[in-house]
Amino acid sequence: MDKLYKMVQGYFKRFPDGVEPFQMVTRLLEECGEVASEVNHFEDAGIKRLKYGEPSKEALASEIKQAVVALMQIVVYYSVQEEFEKSIDDSLRRMKDENLID
Ligand SMILES: [Mg+2]
């Protein structure tokens, strides 16, 4: 989580004009679309393999990272880090209670 917060800090400094809510949400959707494109590549949908060759785990991971960072920018922008982490902890606690995880 700390690494993600650090990346958000860096992006906010690198692109100070791109931190309005509409821009962040648009970027999130764009990055989700790019994740979908990589998944399509892995699942052999359409002609992606013919056009681009074998799918790349690195490319998929990079697009997932970009989508996660776009989400984390929203977390930081609205200062809901504490609530976000509590929400994760609550989910993990419920999963433990249900013996779904250790
Ligand atoms: Mg991308």
Side-chain angles (χ1 to χ4, degrees), residues 30-32 34-35 62-64 66-67:
E30 180 184 326
E31 296 303 344
C32 286
E34 289 167 0
V35 170
S62 175
E63 293 303 346
I64 291 170
Q66 291 168 50

Side-chain angles (χ1 to χ4, degrees), residues 21-90:
F22 177 74
Q23 292 169 308
M24 289 190 295
V25 170
T26 305
R27 200 162 42 246
L28 170 62
L29 294 176
E30 180 184 326
E31 296 303 344
C32 286
E34 289 167 0
V35 170
S37 176
E38 290 299 327
V39 169
N40 274 342
H41 197 162
F42 268 90
E43 296 305 319
D44 231 356
I47 59 164
K48 285 201 180 292
R49 273 183 212 239
L50 284 175
K51 204 170 172 184
Y52 303 112
E54 289 302 304
S56 153
K57 283 184 171 185
E58 288 78 15
L60 174 61
S62 175
E63 293 303 346
I64 291 170
K65 176 205 67 191
Q66 291 168 50
V68 169
V69 169
L71 277 171
M72 294 305 290
Q73 287 179 326
I74 295 170
V75 169
V76 172
Y77 181 86
Y78 288 104
S79 299
V80 293
Q81 293 93 324
E82 209 176 301
E83 292 81 358
F84 176 64
E85 291 183 31
K86 183 184 177 305
S87 175
I88 292 170
D89 290 342
D90 290 348

